[in-house]
Amino acid sequence: MIYRLTKYIILILIFLVLIISGSLLIITKIYGEEIKELALEKINQQLTSPIIVENIELSAFTHFPSISLEFKNVLINDPIIIDDTLLHSNKAYLNFDIYDLINKRYIVRKLVLTKGIFNVLTNEKSEKNYLGFKKNDNSENKSFKFLLNQFTLIDFKISYKNSLLNQEFDFKVKNSNLIGQFSNKEYDLNIISNMKVNTFILDDINYINSKITKTEVELHVINNPFSINIKKGGFEIGKMNFLVQGNYLSAEKDIVDLKIKGNQIEILEIFSVLPKKYSKLSKQYISKGILNFEGH
């Protein structure tokens, strides 16, 4: 009796899987060509440097239960430096809810970028290459729009250079996940990331060299005027752990108010992140112990 009941349950499950799979394949066939053309057109309408794509496919199973629009070999050229790259990704995914798709409301809920580079630059003239969206474009498109609640980077290299402030950062992101209602004027943002900080240069001094970094932060973001409240922030650099709380307000003179707490930090680990000009201290002194501190 039990064997027969188990057999029926398995057959029902297989039948349901076949129905769902078949339905999803039909949906991708019906809406595939329309959404591919519309997506590329609407994205390029918003960018000063048009996106270049090798191939676009609509998939029902890559990020199930979402429907994914998969872009292969995505390229956006640098709008400032000729023949340079702002962003390249082996694969990019725009994810839609099935319900929205059936109702022909192509609303992007999630963006995933994998295996790529993002080169951010502010030059001596204060020109920023990452402000790639067209200004004064107030056209509203109800059929295709971005209402992101999740942004994910996987295996991504990010470089940042600010010639005005003499800053240069280089990160290798293994996995970074940002969750929040990005299109709202005010929203909570959760960030969980795992990366390697290759360089962190301020005024020609490299403060972090090849350190694994983990971040888990809860923010409250207001877009106008732009401000951030760090409700809860946890950072791990190498073997050092920090807790951060505070506020940032963008204004004519930016306002930063941070409280930083270091937890159970080994003194020897502090020497490992000192700039090279101070590295000789680790050879001159032998220290053991745990450091706890609070700063404001």
Side-chain angles (χ1 to χ4, degrees), residues 232-249:
K232 180 181 177 182
F235 298 89
E236 183 180 317
I237 303 175
K239 296 180 181 179
M240 299 185 296
N241 294 290
F242 302 93
L243 298 176
V244 180
Q245 286 183 307
N247 299 281
Y248 166 77
L249 175 63

Side-chain angles (χ1 to χ4, degrees), residues 219-269:
L219 309 174
H220 184 73
V221 180
I222 300 175
N223 282 321
N224 191 20
F226 183 73
S227 66
I228 297 175
N229 170 242
I230 305 175
K231 299 161 64 176
K232 180 181 177 182
F235 298 89
E236 183 180 317
I237 303 175
K239 296 180 181 179
M240 299 185 296
N241 294 290
F242 302 93
L243 298 176
V244 180
Q245 286 183 307
N247 299 281
Y248 166 77
L249 175 63
S250 177
E252 186 175 346
K253 292 185 178 180
D254 292 350
I255 299 172
V256 180
D257 181 11
L258 294 178
K259 294 180 180 178
I260 303 174
K261 183 177 182 180
N263 281 332
Q264 297 292 304
I265 298 174
E266 294 183 13
I267 291 178
L268 285 175
E269 186 67 18

Side-chain angles (χ1 to χ4, degrees), residues 6-45:
T6 304
K7 182 180 178 181
Y8 285 144
I9 292 173
I10 292 173
L11 288 172
I12 291 170
L13 290 174
I14 293 173
F15 182 68
L16 289 174
V17 169
L18 289 173
I19 290 177
I20 293 171
S21 300
S23 300
L24 292 174
L25 286 172
I26 292 171
I27 289 173
T28 56
K29 289 294 183 182
I30 293 174
Y31 300 103
E33 291 305 317
E34 179 181 347
I35 192 173
K36 284 191 287 186
E37 293 178 7
L38 187 62
L40 195 59
E41 176 189 347
K42 297 306 175 184
I43 291 171
N44 279 331
Q45 283 180 1

Side-chain angles (χ1 to χ4, degrees), residues 42-59:
K42 297 306 175 184
I43 291 171
N44 279 331
Q45 283 180 1
Q46 301 298 317
L47 298 174
T48 54
S49 294
I51 185 173
I52 302 170
V53 181
E54 180 181 317
N55 188 41
I56 305 176
E57 293 294 336
L58 192 64
S59 171

Side-chain angles (χ1 to χ4, degrees), residues 23 59 74 92 108 128-129 132 142 180 182 191 229 244 253 278:
S23 300
S59 171
V74 177
V108 182
K128 299 175 176 63
N129 71 343
K142 296 181 179 180
F182 298 101
I191 302 174
N229 170 242
V244 180
K253 292 185 178 180
Y278 302 119

Side-chain angles (χ1 to χ4, degrees), residues 112-114 150-156 172-178 191-196 213-215:
V112 181
L113 300 177
T114 67
Q150 188 170 344
F151 175 51
T152 300
L153 287 176
I154 300 172
D155 195 13
F156 232 79
K172 179 64 176 180
V173 178
K174 182 179 180 181
N175 190 298
S176 184
N177 204 24
L178 291 76
I191 302 174
I192 299 175
S193 68
N194 188 346
M195 70 178 75
K196 183 179 181 181
T213 304
K214 297 179 181 179
T215 304

